[in-house]
Amino acid sequence: MSKTKKNCNKPKRYIVIVKIRNNDDRTAYCVKYRFNNLLKFTEFLDKKWSEWKWFNVYSNKGMNKKKQIANFTNRNRPLKSSV
């Protein structure tokens, strides 16, 4: 096995819930993702869900696991790859 092969089973650093839009019945349409890099994730959102509104970031590691650690909007974007 190559030393450069990444471990696909390694847990991601962050979990996010993203509000994409409102449904016809005025409920929120949200999606959930796991990732490591905030800047790359924001790029992904712009390509896949250009109408996204906001996302809440939760820790997926350590003492803060499952706790909200940040939130961002389409106008208030992350400036660094990590929180």
Side-chain angles (χ1 to χ4, degrees), residues 5-6 11 13 18 24 29 41 49 51-52 74 83:
K5 185 174 180 179
K6 293 184 179 182
R13 183 183 301 173
V18 185
D24 293 336
Y29 178 74
F41 178 71
W49 305 102
E51 70 274 18
W52 70 273
N74 206 333
V83 178

Side-chain angles (χ1 to χ4, degrees), residues 9-80:
N9 296 327
K10 186 176 179 183
K12 301 298 183 189
R13 183 183 301 173
Y14 305 113
I15 297 173
V16 297
I17 296 175
V18 185
K19 179 181 179 185
I20 303 299
R21 64 180 176 271
N22 287 329
N23 294 319
D24 293 336
D25 64 357
R26 302 187 55 87
T27 59
Y29 178 74
C30 297
V31 292
K32 186 177 190 180
Y33 287 101
R34 291 166 181 82
F35 66 94
N36 287 322
N37 185 310
L38 286 166
L39 298 176
K40 288 182 181 180
F41 178 71
T42 306
E43 280 182 37
F44 163 79
L45 281 180
D46 290 338
K47 290 177 186 170
K48 172 106 178 165
W49 305 102
S50 60
E51 70 274 18
W52 70 273
K53 306 296 183 201
W54 52 257
F55 63 89
N56 293 328
V57 182
Y58 299 86
S59 176
N60 196 29
K61 290 186 172 187
M63 292 176 50
N64 290 328
K65 189 171 184 170
K66 297 185 180 180
K67 292 187 180 176
Q68 185 176 341
I69 55 176
N71 63 310
F72 299 98
T73 67
N74 206 333
R75 295 182 185 185
N76 176 31
R77 294 168 171 258
L79 301 175
K80 300 186 304 182

